[in-house]
């Protein structure tokens, strides 16, 4: 939120009390407490003005938190994000003679100037490099009288809306990334970003997945630990700062240090939670009959026969909204008119080897029999007078399940368990963004504004844990649209409602890359676009891109997404892309396991993998699929694509080579323009790497040890370790291979398993 008009003026009705001085300082164990106040000329300046109490902590090595409080008397009803904290890594040093206070957590240091009227925070690495900090007039309390609470006739007691304001410095050329799944430019500089979950599609500044965490190109991240609305002006109010404001009396942020961007994600996910893994079958192709189309068994069976007859592997079938009767969403009952034998129907789908997914949401329409049950037992969010909160925007008279009520959670879970008994394997947890904040109350008394974003976390967690309690750890997964910090523990997330255009395909990629710079390692989009019907060229290009995403689902709104509708050449493209992804299963499983351990996403912005190459920091039309494969989707009907080839760390290891034509090589640090037919696209193999594949696989869950091949590009600078992950338990390693090159770089030796080696780029 903007409070100023340029450098000198404030907006009409706004007053900011800037902190300029450290009045006093005390320390206890690994915590420092500072009392901050305004410019102090004499003792009289301590009167009639606010103070801000600053508490400095370190929940993890390499992370320093700053908690700023104006008034401490408010009732804190939560909710709060869960943070993983440890002790024993912070060192405090206060040199009173030089007015210097130093707080050290591993490689990260906070210097605070405690001299009179010289307040200054500087976060730096142990090497002395400044990362960010608070310079002149950057910590303040805002009193805003532009509120309906303000009455002039109340005189000195007139209420004003308070905001906490923390402005963090940006250096020359510094770039900012992340802040959840945002569909605009990958680089966030110059943008105003509000952390407030909305159902707005993929073509605006609104987002389903708001994560108040950003990563800087300068070697650090910032996490704002606040579940309510967080407003960020990223060089959009002060061109030298990120201005962070929250309504209320308290703000807390954490500076997360990293030598590399991957180090930042490793520490951030240690704080907020490591990403969970998913079962191997989920990497197969998902098919839905789309949103408003026909779901009858004859139609579905025809589609499934079409996939089988065309030799297109298919792993999951999804039922979208209209598996339930209209106006009754969500009552968890198959519409008996459309599905007279739902149990038999699902059984017949399972006999084809398919997994089953169904759409749900956290709302209950008034026409549903469950509405009266939920109303009677207090399972819904209520008005402050005790009546059920309802509206007609989506389902007529719908109510919202109150997941702070344990009894409501048990009730909701019982319906999920009944569906799992019928054969359902996964749930698409749609919606959860349209959550009311005014005039409502929760069962546990939680603050409604702070619950708005947090609600998505509760919703996904409850469904995910219900699944995993039944099928086992890392064996269940969601297809979720909304989330909040920590939601990486409840995968998978998809990009929401995009249009059927090349532009929407590009914005979807930008959104996914932004989210995956916030601790999320899995992501998908609606292949072909959700709104509209894609032309054949777009369909084929999105298929290529979508089958090189972590998860791949054919889904639309009012039209089917089976390929032959768009032409049999589309079927050929889909078949090739699905089979390519399946043969990459051992590579995908290994990369996902790495992400589970350290927070590195499966799909990643180029700079995350090549931070030393400054050219990668502005690119948002390409990505790395794991550590070894660079992908440049084609965003044009003609097939022309311009892409950048990153500089590898040691170019002596060889050159990048084409996945499709191993004789075709590329120099790092160069731009290329190519025209591709629908049988190829730019997929480049990184030099000096070993990529594990298995062309013998028919499905991701097949035998992981038979038919393994290693694609070795160039010369290995050191021994490479390859983990063969168990597809039946994706957090377990079946075998570890050690791959080395001979002294002349020619011979490749593999220890640990008998595999076929394919050498390229020699």
């Amino acid at each position: 939120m903007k409070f100023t008009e340029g450098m000198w003026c404030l907006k009409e009705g706004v007053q900011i009390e800037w902190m300029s001085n450290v009045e006093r300082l005390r320390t206890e164990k690994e915590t420092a407490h500072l009392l901050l106040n305004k410019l102090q000329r004499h003792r009289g300046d301590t009167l009639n003005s606010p103070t801000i109490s600053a508490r400095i902590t370190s929940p993890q090595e390499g992370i320093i938190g700053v908690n700023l409080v104006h008034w401490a008397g408010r009732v804190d009803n939560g909710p709060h994000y869960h943070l993983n904290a440890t002790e024993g890594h912070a060192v405090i040093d206060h040199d009173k003679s030089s007015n210097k206070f130093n707080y050290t957590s591993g490689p990260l240091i906070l210097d605070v100037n405690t001299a009179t009227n010289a307040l200054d925070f500087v976060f730096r690495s142990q090497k002395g490099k400044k990362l960010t900090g608070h310079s002149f007039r950057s910590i303040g309390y805002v009193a805003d009288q532009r509120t309906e609470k303000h009455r002039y006739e109340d005189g000195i007691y007139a209420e004003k809306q308070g905001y906490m304001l923390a402005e963090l410095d940006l250096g020359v050329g510094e770039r900012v990334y992340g802040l959840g799944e945002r569909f605009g430019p990958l680089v966030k500089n110059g943008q105003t970003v509000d952390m407030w979950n909305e159902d707005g599609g993929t073509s605006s500044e609104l987002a389903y997945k708001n994560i108040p965490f950003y990563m800087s190109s300068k070697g650090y991240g910032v996490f704002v630990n606040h579940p309510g609305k967080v407003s960020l002006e990223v060089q959009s109010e002060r061109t030298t700062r990120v201005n962070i404001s929250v309504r209320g009396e308290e703000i807390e942020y954490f500076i997360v240090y990293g030598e590399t961007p991957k180090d930042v994600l490793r520490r951030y996910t240690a704080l907020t939670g490591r990403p969970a893994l998913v079962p191997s079958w989920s990497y197969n192709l998902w098919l839905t009959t789309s949103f408003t189309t026909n779901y009858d068994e004859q139609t579905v069976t025809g589609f499934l026969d079409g996939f089988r007859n065309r030799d297109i592997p298919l792993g999951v079938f999804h039922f979208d909204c209209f598996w339930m009767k209209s106006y009754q969403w969500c009552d968890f009952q198959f519409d008996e008119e459309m599905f007279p034998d739902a149990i038999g129907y699902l059984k017949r789908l399972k006999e084809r080897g398919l997994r089953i997914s169904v759409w749900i949401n956290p709302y209950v329409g008034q026409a549903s029999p469950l509405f009266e049950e939920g109303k009677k037992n207090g399972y819904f969010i209520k008005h402050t007078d005790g009546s059920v909160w309802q509206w007609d925007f989506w389902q007529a008279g719908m109510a919202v399940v109150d997941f702070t009520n344990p009894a409501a959670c048990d009730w909701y879970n019982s319906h999920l368990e009944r569906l799992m008994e019928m054969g359902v394997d996964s749930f698409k947890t749609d919606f959860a963004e349209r959550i009311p904040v005014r005039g409502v109350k929760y069962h546990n008394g939680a603050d409604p504004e702070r619950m708005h974003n947090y609600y998505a976390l509760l919703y996904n967690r409850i469904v995910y844990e219900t699944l995993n309690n039944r099928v086992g750890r890392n064996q269940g997964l969601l297809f979720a649209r909304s989330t909040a910090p920590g939601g990486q523990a409840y995968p998978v997330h998809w990009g929401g409602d995009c249009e059927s255009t090349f532009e929407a395909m590009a914005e979807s990629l930008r959104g996914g890359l932004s989210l995956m710079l916030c601790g999320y390692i899995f992501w998908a989009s609606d292949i072909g676009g959700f709104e509209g019907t894609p032309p054949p060229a777009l369909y084929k290009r999105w298929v290529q891109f979508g089958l090189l995403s972590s998860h791949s689902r054919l889904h639309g709104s009012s039209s089917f997404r089976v390929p032959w509708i768009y032409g049999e050449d589309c079927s050929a493209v889909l078949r090739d892309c699905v089979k390519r992804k399946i043969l990459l299963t051992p590579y995908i499983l290994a990369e996902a396991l790495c992400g589970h351990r350290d927070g590195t996403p499966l799909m990643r912005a180029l700079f995350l993998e090549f931070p030393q190459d400054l050219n990668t920091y502005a690119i948002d039309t390409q990505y790395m699929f794991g550590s070894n494969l660079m992908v440049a989707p084609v965003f044009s009907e003609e097939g022309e694509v311009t892409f950048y080839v990153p500089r590898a760390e040691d170019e002596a290891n060889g050159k990048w080579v084409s996945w499709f034509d191993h004789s075709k090589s590329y120099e790092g640090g160069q731009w290329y323009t190519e025209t591709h037919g629908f049988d190829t696209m730019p997929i480049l193999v990184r030099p000096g790497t070993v990529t594990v594949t298995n062309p013998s696989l028919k499905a991701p869950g097949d035998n992981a040890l038979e038919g393994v091949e290693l694609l070795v590009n160039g010369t290995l600078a050191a021994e490479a370790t390859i983990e063969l992950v168990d597809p039946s338990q994706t957090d377990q390693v079946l075998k570890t291979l050690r791959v080395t090159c001979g002294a002349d770089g020619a011979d490749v030796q593999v220890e640990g398993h008998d595999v076929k080696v394919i050498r390229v780029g020699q």
Side-chain angles (χ1 to χ4, degrees):
M1 177 177 289
K2 293 183 174 70
F3 299 109
T4 62
E5 296 280 3
M7 289 184 64
W8 318 120
C9 300
L10 299 177
K11 290 185 177 295
E12 188 69 27
V14 171
Q15 178 183 355
I16 303 180
E17 298 286 356
W18 296 109
M19 299 297 104
S20 301
N21 182 63
V22 178
E23 179 71 13
R24 60 181 62 100
L25 165 66
R26 66 180 177 87
T27 61
E28 54 180 4
K29 295 183 179 179
E30 297 181 44
T31 302
H33 299 271
L34 291 78
L35 184 65
L36 311 180
N37 56 5
K38 71 174 188 179
L39 183 74
Q40 298 295 297
R41 298 163 298 178
H42 48 70
R43 280 187 149 183
D45 285 332
T46 62
L47 304 176
N48 304 316
S49 66
T51 61
I52 289 179
S53 300
R55 185 179 78 249
I56 300 172
T57 58
S58 177
Q60 296 273 346
E61 180 267 346
I63 302 177
I64 294 178
V66 177
N67 179 265
L68 301 170
V69 178
H70 173 230
W71 289 337
R74 69 180 180 87
V75 176
D76 184 359
N77 291 323
H80 302 281
Y81 294 127
H82 173 75
L83 302 180
N84 300 308
T86 60
E87 296 180 347
H89 47 260
V91 177
I92 298 174
D93 180 27
H94 183 206
D95 185 351
K96 296 182 180 179
S97 62
S98 63
N99 296 309
K100 293 294 184 184
F101 166 74
N102 306 107
Y103 189 99
T104 301
S105 175
L108 179 62
I109 301 171
L110 168 60
D111 298 326
V112 180
N113 190 342
T114 60
T116 303
N117 297 326
L119 176 63
D120 186 45
F121 281 39
V122 175
F123 292 93
R124 61 180 173 88
S125 68
Q126 280 197 339
K127 297 177 182 179
K129 174 186 175 184
K130 177 181 176 179
L131 304 171
T132 187
H134 295 295
S135 50
F136 179 66
R137 286 191 171 183
S138 60
I139 298 176
Y141 179 72
V142 180
D144 189 348
Q145 69 183 40
R146 302 170 301 172
T147 171
E148 59 189 26
K149 297 188 300 183
H150 184 76
R151 290 161 32 101
Y152 283 98
E153 56 267 33
D154 290 342
I156 63 172
Y157 300 105
E159 289 189 69
K160 298 179 181 180
Q161 180 60 60
Y163 294 86
M164 294 299 294
L165 176 61
E167 303 182 0
L168 289 170
D169 297 336
L170 289 176
V172 176
E174 186 174 352
R175 294 184 174 96
V176 171
Y177 304 87
L179 297 174
E181 185 187 41
R182 317 216 75 83
F183 304 104
L186 183 67
V187 179
K188 301 300 182 287
N189 300 58
Q191 299 183 38
T192 296
V193 183
D194 287 339
M195 299 290 103
W196 195 249
N197 286 2
E198 296 277 11
D199 175 10
T202 68
S203 59
S204 75
E205 63 183 8
L206 303 181
Y208 307 100
K209 309 171 186 65
N210 289 271
I211 312 295
F213 171 79
Y214 67 82
M215 183 183 293
S216 165
S217 61
K218 209 170 180 179
Y220 68 93
V222 177
F223 172 55
V224 185
N225 183 28
H226 192 285
K229 178 181 283 188
V230 179
S231 295
L232 298 99
E233 301 291 341
V234 187
Q235 281 192 315
S236 48
E237 184 173 14
R238 290 293 301 274
T239 59
T240 57
R241 293 177 182 171
V242 176
N243 290 7
I244 308 169
S245 61
V246 300
R247 188 164 72 170
E249 307 298 319
E250 179 180 2
I251 188 171
E252 182 175 44
Y253 68 85
F254 294 91
I255 302 297
V256 184
Y257 176 71
E259 287 281 348
T260 68
K262 288 183 181 180
D263 286 338
V264 174
L265 283 181
R266 175 178 58 81
R267 287 195 169 99
Y268 170 71
T269 54
L271 179 67
T272 60
R274 297 294 191 202
L277 289 168
V278 294
S280 60
W281 58 258
S282 71
Y283 296 115
N284 214 330
L285 180 64
W286 296 48
L287 172 68
T288 88
T289 53
S290 300
F291 172 36
T292 59
T293 51
N294 195 347
Y295 296 11
D296 68 87
E297 187 167 4
Q298 181 179 358
T299 300
V300 172
T301 300
F303 287 160
L304 299 181
D305 288 342
F307 274 83
R308 182 180 58 195
N309 295 339
R310 291 168 176 83
D311 190 26
I312 303 173
L314 184 65
V316 185
F317 185 80
H318 170 74
F319 292 93
D320 220 59
C321 312
F322 281 98
W323 67 275
M324 294 176 284
K325 195 180 293 291
S326 60
Y327 295 110
Q328 295 187 188
W329 304 341
C330 185
D331 66 357
F332 309 100
Q333 293 285 351
F334 278 87
D335 182 349
E336 67 278 3
E337 295 180 11
M338 183 71 71
F339 306 100
D341 178 24
I343 294 177
Y345 186 6
L346 298 189
K347 181 180 179 181
R348 288 186 286 275
L349 291 177
K350 302 284 277 192
E351 288 171 350
R352 287 175 173 261
L354 293 171
R355 300 284 181 159
I356 305 298
S357 166
V358 297
W359 176 97
I360 61 172
N361 64 194
Y363 313 138
V364 178
Q366 184 170 287
S368 167
L370 295 187
F371 180 85
E372 282 300 322
E373 185 178 342
K375 174 186 174 182
K376 176 183 177 181
N377 293 295
Y379 294 158
F380 301 135
I381 296 173
K382 298 177 182 178
H383 289 287
T384 52
D385 66 3
S387 61
V388 174
W389 184 92
Q390 292 179 264
W391 70 349
D392 293 330
F393 195 27
W394 184 238
Q395 289 291 281
M398 69 169 226
V400 182
V401 178
D402 183 353
F403 290 119
T404 73
N405 182 347
C409 295
D410 292 341
W411 176 67
Y412 197 87
N413 289 350
S414 68
H415 293 288
L416 302 180
E417 289 168 352
R418 175 172 50 79
L419 289 168
M420 287 187 284
E421 287 286 346
M422 293 174 63
V424 172
D425 299 285
S426 181
F427 296 100
K428 174 182 171 181
T429 51
D430 205 354
F431 284 82
E433 305 92 7
R434 297 173 180 173
I435 306 302
V437 296
R438 291 192 177 184
V440 299
K441 63 179 181 180
Y442 284 85
H443 175 80
N444 71 348
D447 181 336
E449 183 175 354
R450 294 168 70 94
M451 277 294 299
H452 176 82
N453 289 353
Y454 192 89
Y455 184 92
L457 199 63
L458 280 182
Y459 170 43
N460 287 329
R461 182 177 72 195
I462 286 162
V463 178
Y464 181 80
E465 290 180 349
T466 300
L467 274 166
N468 272 15
N469 287 341
R470 180 179 179 86
V471 299
R473 181 170 52 91
N474 298 322
Q475 294 302 301
L477 81 157
L478 314 175
F479 229 82
R481 188 172 76 174
S482 57
T483 190
Q488 62 267 19
Y490 319 117
V492 168
H493 296 81
W494 105 95
D497 298 346
C498 49
E499 296 174 309
S500 296
T501 66
F502 282 108
E503 291 77 12
M505 179 177 154
E507 73 196 13
S508 294
L509 173 58
R510 295 194 298 266
L513 294 180
S514 287
L515 180 68
M516 286 181 283
L517 289 170
C518 298
Y520 290 71
I521 65 173
F522 302 120
W523 176 85
S525 61
D526 287 342
I527 294 176
F530 177 73
E531 292 289 351
T533 299
L538 172 64
Y539 182 91
K540 288 178 281 191
R541 295 304 184 191
W542 209 317
V543 161
Q544 290 180 323
F545 161 52
L547 269 299
L548 286 170
S549 301
S550 78
H551 288 77
S552 310
R553 185 181 68 159
L554 295 167
H555 182 61
S557 177
S558 58
S559 57
F560 298 121
R561 291 290 180 268
V562 292
W564 52 89
I565 289 178
Y566 306 93
E568 286 300 340
D569 58 333
C570 295
S571 299
V573 171
L574 180 60
R575 178 174 55 251
D576 291 347
C577 291
V578 174
K579 290 188 174 183
R580 177 167 58 246
K581 186 176 184 183
I582 291 174
L583 73 85
L584 282 169
T585 295
Y587 173 72
I588 292 171
L589 292 175
E591 291 289 335
L593 182 56
C594 290
H596 167 66
R597 292 167 176 163
D598 61 19
T600 303
L602 191 57
M603 300 168 67
R604 58 195 74 157
L606 295 187
F607 78 85
L608 193 64
E609 196 66 43
F610 302 97
Q612 79 288 347
D613 187 344
L614 299 182
N615 292 318
T616 62
Y617 282 83
I619 296 175
D620 58 13
T621 53
Q622 302 167 224
Y623 60 97
M624 291 295 294
F625 190 58
S627 303
N628 298 355
L629 302 179
M630 195 277 288
V631 178
V634 179
F635 296 106
S636 69
E637 186 170 354
E638 301 78 15
E640 184 175 282
V641 53
T642 298
F643 57 94
Y644 177 75
V645 180
R647 290 190 180 93
E649 292 83 348
D650 187 354
E651 297 183 6
N653 292 336
K655 298 179 181 180
W656 295 77
V657 299
S658 167
W659 172 271
F660 297 98
D661 182 356
H662 295 162
S663 67
K664 190 173 184 179
S665 63
Y666 299 82
E667 296 279 354
Q670 300 293 321
W671 286 89
Y672 293 84
T673 298
E674 297 178 345
T675 300
H676 284 259
F678 295 108
D679 56 340
T680 64
M681 65 182 296
I683 306 174
L684 274 58
V685 184
R686 185 176 181 171
T689 61
V690 181
T691 304
V692 57
T693 67
N694 192 333
S696 70
L697 297 178
K698 301 300 182 183
D702 288 350
N703 190 312
L705 298 180
E706 294 183 5
V708 176
E709 295 184 359
L710 300 181
L711 178 64
V712 180
N713 180 21
T715 303
L716 304 182
E719 179 182 90
T721 300
I722 304 299
E723 294 181 324
L724 298 180
V725 176
D726 186 351
S728 66
Q729 189 61 52
T730 53
D731 63 347
Q732 301 296 317
V733 176
L734 292 173
K735 283 195 174 183
T736 299
L737 313 183
R738 290 176 172 79
V739 185
T740 56
C741 278
D744 59 357
D747 296 327
V748 173
Q749 294 86 38
V750 181
E751 296 182 6
H753 192 57
D754 185 22
V755 300
K756 179 180 179 181
V757 175
I758 300 173
R759 294 296 308 276
V760 299
Q762 299 180 64

